[in-house]
Each structure stands twice: as C-alpha cells, then as structure tokens.
Amino acid sequence: MSEIKLPMQKVKATTQSPKNLIIFSKPKVGKSSLLAELDNCLLIDLENGSDYLDAVKIKASSVEEIKQIGKQIKEAGNPYDYIALDTITALEDICIPYAEVLYAKKPMGKSWFKQKADGTLDPSSGKVQYGNILNLPNGAGYSYLREAMTKVIEFVKTLAPRIILIGHIKDVLLEKAGADFTSSDLDLTGKMKRIVTSQSDAIGYLYRKGNKNFLSFTTSDSISCGARPAHLRNKEILISEMTDKGFKTYWDEVYID
C-alpha cells in the first residue's frame, strides 16, 4: 500500500465537462437528433425510434443485447468518446427480466422460476403467481429493479469516457404554500430516479423555442435539473438550431475540454 499524503493546498480539478450527463424532455423535441450530431457518440437505441435518423447507432431490446454490445465495444478497444442510452425510461422496463434473475438467485426467490418435470413453469412459482417482480407484496421487487438498473448503467460507464442518459419527462403534482402546481421531472420510478440523478454530473432539461433548442441546467420549482461543472451550473444554453444551412449543434458549450 502506497503512503497517503494529505493535501495542504487546493487540488486542481481534473475535468470541466460532465462525465455523466442526463438529458430529459417532452417527446419529439429532438433528443435523438441532437445526439446524432455529437462526434464519436454511439447511440444505443432502446425504444426502436432511430429508424429515420442518420447516426452512429445500434439497437438493443434486452440487457443481454446491451452486454453483447458492450463486449464488442471492449474487443474493439473502446473506440467511442461518448455512449448515449436512449432512453433510460425504456431501460427501466428492459431491466425487469434481469431483476427477476437477480431475485431468483436469492434464498427468498429460489422458487421464482420453479419448473415442473417437463420444463414449464410450476403453477406455484413466483413468476406464475405474480407475473412480474414489481407485483411482489409491499413493493419488495423494486429493490431488485434498482439493483438491475444500477448494474447495467455501471457496466455502460466502463465502455466510454462520457455517458449520456436520455429520459422522458414526467409531470408531478406538488403543493406549495397551499397551492397545487405541476413540476416536470425525469420519468423514473421512485428511488431509482434519486440514485441515477445523484450519480450524474449534470441534468439538463431540453426544450424548444421557435427553431432553437435550449438545454437548461437551472433548478426551479417547475423543473428538476442542475449541474456540478461551473460552466453549466444554473445556466441555460443554446444547444441546437435550424439555420439556412441546416441543423446546427453547439455541443462544445457542454463539453469544453
């Protein structure tokens, strides 16, 4: 074990740009089109929504396919600077079967996939009784979904220096000072949202105004977002626009180093 030396003065930052970025918006605002213009970014399409898009892209519909893609990326020497999961909202659904596998490996879940002699599921198996791990009593299945998603996201983080998670928006009804109002938030289930967002460096809300798209990192009562990097913190940046010469993006406003 090497000797530990305590710092006696400020240690300079090693990076300025977000390693883990979340972008969420309403449907059809242009999240995928924006990512398609980011140089050397692999778009992993989890919603089968990239057919009309020219991009460095590949589709996946299961955790196993994501693992196979990751295996090929590593065998190729990790050639991408960015990998984007489109969308993390879809990833939550994709991870349910994986969560059931994780649960089945635990003592309490040993009968989840219990089979009859002919190889079919026994009527007494948890899978037959509940159909879906999220239907377990008292919400017990959600912890395994969180474990499954965390494992997949951590795996994806090993594939490129910078990861982008794309999400849909969810309207949440809140109360403040006796009045109800709607807050826009990342569409993920309960604690999973807190885990994913706490591990991100920046959370941006993408919205369109005329022929321009803006990425907001400004936290407010109505939008839940923010950023650690100083150049993004509480900022709202023009990220793309349609010009006379075509679609133009400004990713260098986000990734400055």
Side-chain angles (χ1 to χ4, degrees), residues 66-80:
I66 293 174
K67 290 180 178 179
Q68 288 297 319
I69 292 169
K71 181 174 181 291
Q72 293 186 36
I73 290 173
K74 289 185 176 182
E75 289 175 351
N78 296 69
Y80 303 106

Side-chain angles (χ1 to χ4, degrees), residues 41-42 44 73 80-85 156 159-160 162-164:
C41 175
L42 175 65
I44 301 180
I73 290 173
Y80 303 106
D81 293 323
Y82 309 88
I83 290 180
L85 288 179
V156 172
L159 306 179
R162 290 167 175 166
I163 304 302
I164 304 172

Side-chain angles (χ1 to χ4, degrees), residues 106-154:
K106 306 292 184 180
M108 68 285 291
K110 63 181 180 180
S111 64
W112 182 258
F113 292 120
K114 183 180 179 181
Q115 296 181 343
K116 297 187 294 185
D118 63 1
T120 60
L121 287 174
D122 191 286
S124 65
S125 69
K127 181 65 175 176
V128 171
Q129 290 187 45
Y130 296 104
N132 184 312
I133 194 171
L134 301 185
N135 294 328
L136 283 174
N138 303 315
Y142 284 92
S143 64
Y144 295 97
L145 177 59
R146 292 193 293 272
E147 181 182 355
M149 282 196 68
T150 299
K151 285 180 177 292
V152 172
I153 293 172
E154 289 303 312

